[in-house]
Amino acid sequence: MAQMINPRTALVVALISLLALAAGCGRVFGDPQEEANRAISRANEAIAEHNRHFERARSTYEEVKQRIESGEDPSGEREEIRRARESMREARDSLREARRALSGVQELEVDPAVKRYARLLSEAMEAQLAAESRELDFYELLEEDPALEENRERALEILEEVSRGYERAERSYDAARELAESNPEVLGSGRERRGG
């Protein structure tokens, strides 16, 4: 089974990159760029909210995933699984809001790198949302059959799909980060805040 990638790390990187983009855009461009800044600011807020909800869901997911893969019975985690499912739904709502905030950037007269950056982040969010959707399927399966007496194979298949989905999201987040780093005059102002 593929190693689970923690997409929260990718979202934090995306958030930092979005902050850099917002900081650099206002100085270089006029009104369309200011509109892009506002869209990016709204996306930043939604991504931060997503990360809070996602982290709550992720800790339960990882614990239950390890139990299933080792052949243990995760049925004692029923209430935690329900809470994780609710947290994941809230996270998804926030990520959808971030994606909506960036959608208008494509219509603005801004540097093509800004548009490409917003598109890459939107693609990453779309892949993340698809993976999170399958993760919700996993939680629902666990609620129906907590001991996975009849659904262990299906659960393992879902876990694999989730892992692949997060890997796709990670690749798009990485491409957005690389674009920001290769266009510092347009996207990279504020990169010194990136840290280690």
Side-chain angles (χ1 to χ4, degrees):
M1 178 164 284
Q3 183 72 7
M4 176 61 67
I5 292 176
N6 185 348
R8 181 179 182 271
T9 303
L11 279 175
V12 170
V13 169
L15 178 60
I16 291 168
S17 296
L18 282 170
L19 288 170
L21 174 62
C25 290
R27 292 193 316 257
V28 178
F29 300 104
D31 289 341
Q33 203 57 53
E34 289 174 18
E35 191 174 337
N37 289 348
R38 285 190 298 275
I40 289 164
S41 179
R42 286 191 311 272
N44 286 340
E45 292 169 11
I47 288 170
E49 184 68 17
H50 168 275
N51 289 348
R52 285 189 289 276
H53 294 298
F54 184 87
E55 193 58 36
R56 283 197 298 266
R58 178 56 36 169
S59 61
T60 298
Y61 173 84
E62 289 297 333
E63 183 178 319
V64 172
K65 177 180 178 274
Q66 288 175 351
R67 285 184 175 197
I68 291 168
E69 289 175 341
S70 67
E72 294 178 41
D73 178 357
S75 60
E77 309 291 328
R78 179 172 255 161
E79 184 58 26
E80 289 80 7
I81 291 166
R82 187 194 62 73
R83 283 196 301 265
R85 183 172 48 94
E86 291 307 312
S87 289
M88 183 59 74
R89 285 187 176 147
E90 292 173 11
R92 288 172 51 74
D93 289 344
S94 297
L95 196 57
R96 283 188 197 103
E97 180 58 35
R99 188 183 60 190
R100 275 191 298 274
L102 290 178
S103 65
V105 173
Q106 298 305 315
E107 307 305 317
L108 299 173
E109 290 188 33
V110 294
D111 190 287
V114 174
K115 290 183 178 188
R116 184 163 180 247
Y117 184 79
R119 182 181 49 78
L120 286 167
L121 285 178
S122 294
E123 289 172 4
M125 288 182 218
E126 191 62 39
Q128 176 118 6
L129 284 165
E132 289 176 357
S133 176
R134 289 304 284 157
E135 191 168 325
L136 280 171
D137 293 342
F138 174 72
Y139 294 138
E140 289 169 9
L141 182 67
L142 286 173
E143 284 187 280
E144 293 169 13
D145 181 12
L148 293 175
E149 294 172 356
E150 300 176 17
N151 294 300
R152 185 166 295 276
E153 284 303 312
R154 184 169 167 222
L156 290 170
E157 287 171 13
I158 291 173
L159 290 172
E160 184 63 31
E161 288 176 32
V162 169
S163 182
R164 285 193 307 266
Y166 286 136
E167 288 170 1
R168 280 191 297 276
E170 185 78 22
R171 285 191 299 271
S172 289
Y173 285 123
D174 286 346
R177 181 183 36 63
E178 289 168 11
L179 177 64
E181 290 172 353
S182 67
N183 289 279
E185 69 286 351
V186 177
L187 300 171
S189 138
R191 277 177 37 206
E192 63 278 359
R193 288 183 272 161
R194 195 176 300 269

